[in-house]
Amino acid sequence: MKNELTNDILKVLYTEEQIRERVKELGAAIAEKFAGQRPLFVGILKGSVLFLADLIRACPLRADLEMMAVSSYGNAAVSSGRVRITYDIPTDVRDRDLIIVEDILDSGNTLSFLKEYLNAKGAASVTIVTLLDKPSGRQKAVTADYVGFPVPDAFVVGYGLDYAQLYRNLPCIGILKPEVYEKPDGD
Ligand code: IMP
Ligand code: MG
């Protein structure tokens, strides 16, 4: 059905139902890997919030939950390459098994930085779970341990992912119409 949000979507890549099924599979795989342990989920604000909420409910483990926020993009559709922590985990991660939950692995700048940062803080292990993987964007050699779905070389939004803070509440994942971020005057 067309509405203010879906009007700006060029193509739906993954429907609400497909996401629900995939998140269940990921949750089961993670629960199996960490059975009997007490991992600490680290959700990366804000893009991972919808995915994280569904993933942890699909993952019947004794687990802790913390959030981190990083900024690298501003409102642009292209990564600046700089990563800055704007909200850090308040608890000690030393000797903990961490599960980073991210919305998308694109250039790899964010996740390679976070993995290094958390390892340097003494984490016992750092596992990366990303809802989406855009391999065409990669600038840093970083691989995710768990990937929800691959996405093509296009700007995608929905299910937590934004463009200029919009579209996070779209229940599916879709390619944003380029005219939404490409202004005709090149501004
Ligand atoms: P990376 O550091 O380039 O791997 O990008 C990580 C961050 O860039 C993600 O957490 C997203 O916030 C943002 N990002 C990269 N590609 C997209 C996209 O296609 N749609 C929305 N956000 C994106
Ligand atoms: Mg993000």
Side-chain angles (χ1 to χ4, degrees):
M1 192 185 287
K2 287 283 171 196
N3 61 41
E4 282 180 45
L5 289 183
T6 54
N7 281 345
D8 290 346
I9 302 304
L10 184 67
K11 184 181 175 208
V12 173
L13 294 176
Y14 301 106
T15 64
E16 210 175 339
E17 290 70 27
Q18 287 173 310
I19 296 168
R20 194 180 306 122
E21 282 313 303
R22 186 69 187 120
V23 172
K24 262 194 228 158
E25 291 173 1
L26 289 174
I30 293 165
E32 197 180 314
K33 182 181 174 194
F34 288 93
Q37 300 174 53
R38 182 175 171 169
L40 165 56
F41 285 97
V42 181
I44 310 306
L45 292 167
K46 295 176 248 182
S48 78
V49 165
L50 279 75
F51 175 44
L52 177 74
D54 289 337
L55 183 71
I56 58 174
R57 281 179 291 181
C59 209
L61 285 173
R62 284 163 50 84
D64 297 280
L65 173 60
E66 293 288 357
M67 307 301 291
M68 280 183 82
V70 295
S71 99
S72 68
Y73 260 56
N75 281 343
V78 178
S79 173
S80 68
R82 291 187 307 273
V83 181
R84 196 165 53 88
I85 295 174
T86 55
Y87 173 73
D88 204 349
I89 304 180
T91 56
D92 192 1
V93 300
R94 188 163 298 279
D95 300 328
R96 298 299 308 269
D97 293 305
L98 307 182
I99 305 175
I100 300 179
V101 182
E102 175 62 308
D103 55 358
I104 184 167
L105 172 55
D106 183 10
S107 72
N109 286 322
T110 306
L111 282 171
S112 66
F113 170 85
L114 284 174
K115 194 166 184 174
E116 226 168 86
Y117 177 78
L118 293 167
N119 274 323
K121 283 187 116 185
S125 67
V126 179
T127 296
I128 294 176
V129 185
T130 184
L131 172 67
L132 304 177
D133 184 9
K134 193 193 286 182
S136 57
R138 207 74 89 248
Q139 292 168 17
K140 292 266 169 66
V142 53
T143 47
D145 300 280
Y146 298 92
V147 173
F149 302 103
V151 290
D153 185 15
F155 200 82
V156 297
V157 294
Y159 193 59
L161 288 104
D162 73 306
Y163 170 67
Q165 303 303 328
L166 294 175
Y167 311 102
R168 294 193 197 276
N169 53 335
L170 190 71
C172 62
I173 295 162
I175 297 176
L176 189 63
K177 286 182 181 167
E179 60 260 37
V180 176
Y181 54 86
E182 281 166 5
K183 291 201 191 131
D185 59 6
D187 206 340

